[in-house]
Amino acid sequence: MTTFPDFAPRFPDEEALRTALEARLPAIAEDAGAGNPALHPMVFACLRFRGDWFAVLIVPGGLRLLLMPGGGELWGDIPSGQQRFLTLGGYDWRFIAAGDAFLGDFQWCDLLGGAGLPRTMDEALAVARDALQALGLVAPATAVEDTGAHRARATGGRRGFLRALAGRR
């Protein structure tokens, strides 16, 4: 993919992206559907990877990964509602294009949902942390600090995330 040096990202830094996502979180949570009311909507992480933005969101319907353009090599512009596959962590993930007047264009992928939902917020935080490592978005030694009041124990990195994805604990 081609990078665009003159591209001006909509969100210049992690704080701007986090603020925008937190403002839209109720709508995103509603769109993700009902699930486990013990999972409180939160923006778990925002980070740049290979020039584009990723965010991991925890919503009652599960864990959702958002990809937003940042001028890097991962963003692929596709019409809203269309899907594309992006390889992260050695697996192909299906991203669906969407748009929002406030957030602009983005693509989303459900990391966990349905029968694989975490039972508690602590489990959701641990799975979200493991997901960042399993997807290759952060190095295994890099800790992503939980910004909420909850603290979670590690569930086993990539293996723990994949077990949760399969609905196993």
Side-chain angles (χ1 to χ4, degrees), residues 79-147:
S80 185
Q82 296 295 311
Q83 64 183 2
R84 67 187 277 258
F85 289 86
L86 184 62
T87 302
L88 296 169
Y91 295 93
D92 292 334
W93 296 90
R94 181 180 67 127
F95 282 82
I96 299 171
D100 180 278
F102 189 69
L103 296 174
D105 292 337
F106 64 93
Q107 296 166 10
W108 61 271
C109 172
D110 279 331
L111 296 175
L112 276 180
L117 281 177
R119 294 175 296 214
T120 67
M121 194 64 181
D122 285 343
E123 283 183 11
L125 293 168
V127 170
R129 190 173 297 110
D130 291 345
L132 289 174
Q133 291 178 12
L135 295 170
L137 299 176
V138 298
T142 303
V144 175
E145 285 300 316
D146 168 15
T147 58

Side-chain angles (χ1 to χ4, degrees), residues 17-18 21-22 25 41-46 55-58 147:
L17 176 58
R18 182 177 293 277
L21 287 171
E22 286 173 349
L25 197 54
M42 77 176 287
V43 178
F44 177 77
C46 296
V56 176
L57 309 179
I58 298 173
T147 58

